[in-house]
Amino acid sequence: MDLHFTSATATECERAAVDEILGPPESRWAGGERDERSSRMSEGGSEARQRRTLLLPLLHAVQHQIGWISPGALNYLCARLIIPPADAYGVASFYALLSTEPQPSTIVHVCDDIACRTRGAGELCSQIESEFGAAGSTIENGTATWKRSPCLGLCEDAPAALFQCAGRDRRDFSAAPITASQIVSALTTSEWSRPAAAASPNVLARVPGGSTPQCGGLGLSLLERVGIIDPLSLDDYRAKGGYQALRRTFDIGPAAVIREITDAKLTGRGGAAFSTSVKWKAVSEAPARPHYVVCNADESEPGTFKDRVLMEEDTFSVVEAQTIAGIVCGAERGYIYVRGEYPEATLRLESAIEQATARGLLGGDVMGRGSRFEIE
């Protein structure tokens, strides 16, 4: 990728997708019209560096609106952020669900990994192939295609598929369990409608709750509310004990919370089993500021879907737990990293964050206790 701008220019639609996030450009250097001031001065510095964090949201916005990230779109968003195109290209080309090459506006990713194979994914793919051709073949005058996919994290409901849908009024969604006839039906309708069985007012393609056999059972901790509460309702979550732990955190203070976690021998679940209290204590005592809390909810190993269940079915618990970590560690901002194959989890987390902020459980004065914590 050339370090300099190419001659490609963004379309009106691509510019609109970027401007919807950044607002209209204010100078020629940022992709606007030439004027007397911008012809003599360049802009950047610390303000431009702070906007570098918007690169990934802008790439997502263009991808969602157009279906791929063209050279012209890349040039325009680089001009708006004042960053080299090679920098943006490196990010855009890293993620599998982003594309720097033209592709259909509807893509069905059909899982053929371990769990789905045991539930007939091989036969399902064969049926789709007999109907539409090999994976990657275009359908419906080039507006759709299907691809084989690694694990989508819907293992308990296999076989599964992810529908990646570009366009302003469209959303990605997953469906499981799904049949070849449902995929064929979805790909041959003019409106690219979701399978009828998947329709739901909260943009979910699967029936929430109850898919995990042990959910809601006695003596459980992580799954005690799964399948029992409405994960979209803050009031329902609070009625089942939600946000008592955050209130308790403020009452006893960070040091006491760390002692409680130490006594509980809480460890990470990523494989290393590292002591959670050691990590929190080290961050809380670190003099360098600011501090951040990152919730790594990516799980790409075949057969792994523990994080998805919590994010989809006990959504507010993830938000509350990260808020506790932020208060204890002296952080004012947290990030939740969700894999692109989990569109339902993303929607529910966005809703939970919005509700928690509106009720004073996130924001500049959490619970009226004078602490700031926000989540993106």
Side-chain angles (χ1 to χ4, degrees):
M1 183 67 179
D2 193 348
L3 286 172
H4 299 87
F5 287 95
T6 68
S7 59
T9 58
T11 66
E12 183 177 343
C13 191
E14 290 168 336
R15 292 170 65 98
V18 174
D19 293 348
E20 189 170 345
I21 294 178
L22 295 179
E26 297 178 355
S27 72
R28 181 177 66 86
W29 295 98
E33 297 298 325
R34 185 184 186 93
D35 57 28
E36 182 179 354
R37 180 174 183 273
S38 64
S39 65
R40 294 181 287 106
M41 296 178 59
S42 66
E43 298 177 357
S46 60
E47 182 178 352
R49 286 193 294 272
Q50 291 173 0
R51 295 174 66 169
R52 171 64 173 73
T53 59
L54 292 174
L55 173 57
L56 199 52
L58 288 174
L59 291 172
H60 278 299
V62 173
Q63 171 86 28
H64 175 72
Q65 182 68 20
I66 313 302
W68 70 293
I69 301 163
S70 72
L74 198 69
N75 283 341
Y76 182 66
L77 69 85
C78 287
R80 295 299 319 272
L81 294 179
I82 316 180
I83 62 175
D87 190 359
Y89 181 82
V91 176
S93 59
F94 177 80
Y95 294 99
L97 292 181
L98 297 178
S99 176
T100 55
E101 299 292 335
Q103 63 178 4
S105 58
T106 298
I107 302 173
V108 184
H109 302 268
V110 183
C111 179
D112 68 347
D113 219 318
I114 298 172
C116 285
R117 278 186 175 273
T118 64
R119 295 286 188 87
E123 294 80 1
L124 185 149
C125 288
S126 295
Q127 294 178 50
I128 300 173
E129 188 168 349
S130 66
E131 183 78 24
F132 295 125
S137 302
T138 56
I139 307 163
E140 294 292 305
N141 298 321
T143 57
T145 189
W146 76 283
K147 298 180 179 180
R148 293 176 180 265
S149 171
C151 185
L152 295 173
L154 303 172
C155 310
E156 81 277 30
D157 285 329
L162 170 70
F163 289 71
Q164 192 176 10
C165 308
R168 173 168 291 277
D169 297 322
R170 310 176 72 212
R171 280 192 179 273
D172 295 353
F173 66 94
S174 56
I178 196 167
T179 64
S181 61
Q182 285 179 310
I183 293 176
V184 170
S185 175
L187 288 176
T188 53
T189 56
S190 58
E191 296 181 355
W192 306 111
S193 59
R194 290 141 33 116
S200 149
N202 57 10
V203 203
L204 274 181
R206 287 169 288 109
V207 178
S211 63
T212 306
Q214 68 271 42
C215 68
L218 295 176
L220 295 176
S221 295
L222 290 177
L223 300 178
E224 64 179 345
R225 285 183 290 260
V226 172
I228 304 299
I229 65 168
D230 176 2
L232 299 174
S233 170
L234 175 56
D235 290 333
D236 202 12
Y237 175 71
R238 299 190 75 168
K240 300 297 191 301
Y243 279 100
Q244 291 182 11
L246 179 59
R247 189 175 300 280
R248 179 69 172 156
T249 295
F250 281 116
D251 289 343
I252 67 177
V257 172
I258 290 175
R259 288 196 299 271
E260 292 281 356
I261 295 175
T262 302
D263 293 342
K265 296 181 174 60
L266 184 65
T267 62
R269 300 294 296 276
F274 191 85
S275 171
T276 301
S277 63
V278 171
K279 188 181 298 185
W280 285 24
K281 186 173 187 293
V283 176
S284 67
E285 294 177 348
R289 299 282 171 162
H291 295 171
Y292 298 97
V293 177
V294 180
C295 174
N296 181 8
D298 179 61
E299 47 186 1
S300 303
E301 302 87 352
T304 305
F305 56 94
K306 58 178 176 53
D307 294 346
R308 196 208 82 237
V309 170
L310 291 176
M311 288 187 290
E312 290 184 358
E313 305 296 351
D314 197 7
T315 317
F316 286 98
S317 70
V318 179
V319 174
E320 181 184 8
Q322 190 169 18
T323 306
I324 292 172
I327 299 301
V328 171
C329 294
E332 294 189 349
R333 176 165 289 273
Y335 296 92
I336 304 179
Y337 174 46
V338 191
R339 61 188 303 218
E341 291 83 355
Y342 287 176
E344 287 84 9
T346 301
L347 284 171
R348 290 191 167 189
L349 285 166
E350 288 174 345
S351 174
I353 291 169
E354 182 178 347
Q355 291 182 60
T357 302
R359 299 279 283 273
L361 300 169
L362 285 173
D365 187 16
V366 177
M367 277 192 166
R369 301 295 188 100
S371 294
R372 170 182 291 277
F373 191 71
E374 300 171 322
I375 296 178
E376 180 175 339

